[in-house]
Amino acid sequence: MSFLFSRKSTSLLLTLVFLAGCQSFKTREDIRNATKPAPTPGSKSTSTTPTSPRQTEEAATPYQPDIQVEEPTTPPPAPVIPAMPKIAFILGGGGAKTYAHIGFLHELTRAKVPVYAIGGIEFASPMAALYANREQANDVEWQMFKMKDDEIIKKSLLGNVNKNGDITVMREFYNTAFKNQKAEDYRIPFACPSYNLKKNQSLMMNRGGMEQLMSMCMAYPPFFKPFQGNIAAVREVSGLARYLRQKGANFVVFVNVLQGPGGNKPFTLDASATDNVLWSEIAGLYNKPFAGVDTVITLETGDYGIMDFDKRREIMNKGADSANRQLKTLTRKWGL
């Protein structure tokens, strides 16, 4: 009897232990859910849908920030020629070499290139002024060849050249070419640059009597002394270009008659003279780009110096030949 009670007691005890173990038993799904954080109030519940292998691979890929690749810089575009170009010309300085500009103006007329405005530097300033007045290359040639050699360069009995004379010797030429003329009355805009030594300032001469303007724009070594403290501003190509654009030009051409240093002939009679060094430096400057200038035309004058006024006719013809070849290309660009 006691033995039977003992078996029942043992069976009851095992049953209670088994029921207690079932309360703590957890399936694999219970364990997996227990490792996930509990959702916070207001947040969306996390889906328990198994991820695909591709999603698992993307999740395992480390984060890489976006890399900004800088595109290679391209050179600036070439100057755009306006549909209706208003072309202005700057005739560069160069003593006797500037007579090549007359040949250039003749070719400009033959090519029927309209000149909207014009400026001249040093000995080219009267040429530009004469053209601005009547717009006739023949008139420029006619008046400039009236200038006498001995008005520019005076030679002694021994053949020595007297330099840096007084520009007042040009009064006869001024009276013949520009009598009672004023720059503001010209057909097309005109200006020539002058430099005031006292004020250390460049001036754009575009108004007033032509005799006064020419004296201020032409005086420069080795030909003339300063006139009332003013000399030709031979370096003011950009300033002159800026003025011509202010007058309405939208395309500016610089006509250069100075080849680079080391040409066929020195600029002055004495290759070692200070004046030759000065003009060599100016020639180097003229062969560099200028702000405001769209195109440069270089006329071939390497066989002549700035004091070869006795060869003016040759220089003019040489300038015409050189201009003819270059203008053919430019007129096609301009659509003329």
Side-chain angles (χ1 to χ4, degrees):
M1 185 75 178
S2 60
F3 172 76
L4 184 61
F5 177 78
S6 176
R7 288 187 63 182
K8 289 181 179 181
S9 298
T10 302
S11 299
L12 180 61
L13 179 62
L14 291 174
T15 300
L16 292 175
V17 171
F18 176 78
L19 291 176
C22 289
Q23 294 295 324
S24 60
F25 178 77
K26 295 182 180 181
T27 65
R28 291 183 179 180
E29 186 68 23
D30 293 333
I31 296 173
R32 186 159 45 243
N33 292 336
T35 59
K36 297 181 181 180
T40 57
S43 64
K44 296 180 180 180
S45 61
T46 305
S47 175
T48 59
T49 305
T51 58
S52 64
R54 181 176 178 181
Q55 290 176 326
T56 305
E57 181 180 354
E58 291 177 353
T61 304
Y63 169 74
Q64 293 181 354
D66 293 335
I67 300 175
Q68 300 293 331
V69 180
E70 185 177 352
E71 296 293 333
T73 57
T74 57
V80 177
I81 298 175
M84 292 295 293
K86 297 178 180 179
I87 309 169
F89 293 90
I90 297 175
L91 309 183
K97 286 173 173 278
T98 60
Y99 275 78
H101 289 311
I102 302 177
F104 170 78
L105 293 173
H106 277 299
E107 293 302 316
L108 210 60
T109 302
R110 291 190 183 97
K112 297 181 180 180
V113 176
V115 179
Y116 183 84
I118 193 168
I121 299 173
E122 196 244 358
F123 256 89
S125 56
M127 300 175 187
L130 289 166
Y131 189 86
N133 184 30
R134 295 185 180 180
E135 298 184 81
Q136 295 180 5
N138 288 331
D139 184 60
V140 179
E141 178 184 350
W142 174 254
Q143 298 295 346
M144 289 303 299
F145 276 88
K146 289 182 181 179
M147 189 184 296
K148 300 176 182 178
D149 292 353
D150 58 2
E151 289 178 339
I152 307 166
I153 300 175
K154 293 186 179 294
K155 294 183 179 180
S156 66
L157 296 176
L158 299 176
N160 295 327
V161 177
N162 296 322
K163 301 181 297 182
N164 297 324
D166 196 321
I167 200 169
T168 54
V169 299
M170 299 293 293
R171 283 179 178 172
E172 183 179 347
F173 167 74
Y174 294 155
N175 188 56
T176 302
F178 303 107
K179 188 175 182 179
N180 300 326
Q181 293 180 14
K182 292 184 178 180
E184 57 266 35
D185 296 333
Y186 284 171
R187 293 186 180 185
I188 61 176
F190 159 80
C192 59
S194 179
Y195 184 78
N196 187 277
L197 298 172
K198 294 180 180 179
K199 295 181 180 180
N200 194 24
Q201 181 181 6
S202 294
L203 307 170
M204 207 56 61
M205 311 303 296
N206 55 73
R207 298 184 64 83
M210 290 306 300
E211 180 177 344
Q212 182 82 0
L213 265 65
M214 290 296 101
S215 297
M216 296 178 69
C217 291
M218 287 183 66
Y220 203 75
F223 308 108
F224 305 114
K225 298 176 183 178
F227 175 76
Q228 297 179 356
N230 296 280
I231 60 173
V234 295
R235 295 170 176 79
E236 273 297 331
V237 178
S238 292
L240 188 49
R242 186 164 54 250
Y243 171 78
L244 296 175
R245 287 186 182 277
Q246 290 173 356
K247 300 304 289 185
N250 56 19
F251 198 88
V252 179
V253 179
F254 175 53
V255 187
N256 180 18
V257 296
L258 294 178
Q259 276 69 42
N264 300 337
K265 188 174 182 178
F267 293 100
T268 61
L269 300 178
D270 185 0
S272 61
T274 304
D275 294 332
N276 188 64
V277 175
L278 174 64
W279 279 97
S280 294
E281 187 269 334
I282 297 169
L285 178 69
Y286 277 12
N287 283 272
K288 294 180 180 179
F290 284 103
V293 173
D294 298 292
T295 297
V296 177
I297 295 177
T298 301
L299 305 180
E300 298 174 6
T301 62
D303 295 331
Y304 308 95
I306 66 170
M307 304 182 78
D308 288 338
F309 286 94
D310 57 333
K311 300 177 181 178
R312 288 180 286 179
R313 184 70 58 181
E314 294 178 27
I315 297 173
M316 182 188 73
N317 293 334
K318 189 80 170 180
D321 293 340
S322 181
N324 178 269
R325 296 191 299 272
Q326 298 179 69
L327 281 175
K328 287 180 179 179
T329 303
L330 286 175
T331 51
R332 286 196 295 269
K333 271 188 179 180
W334 295 333
L336 301 175

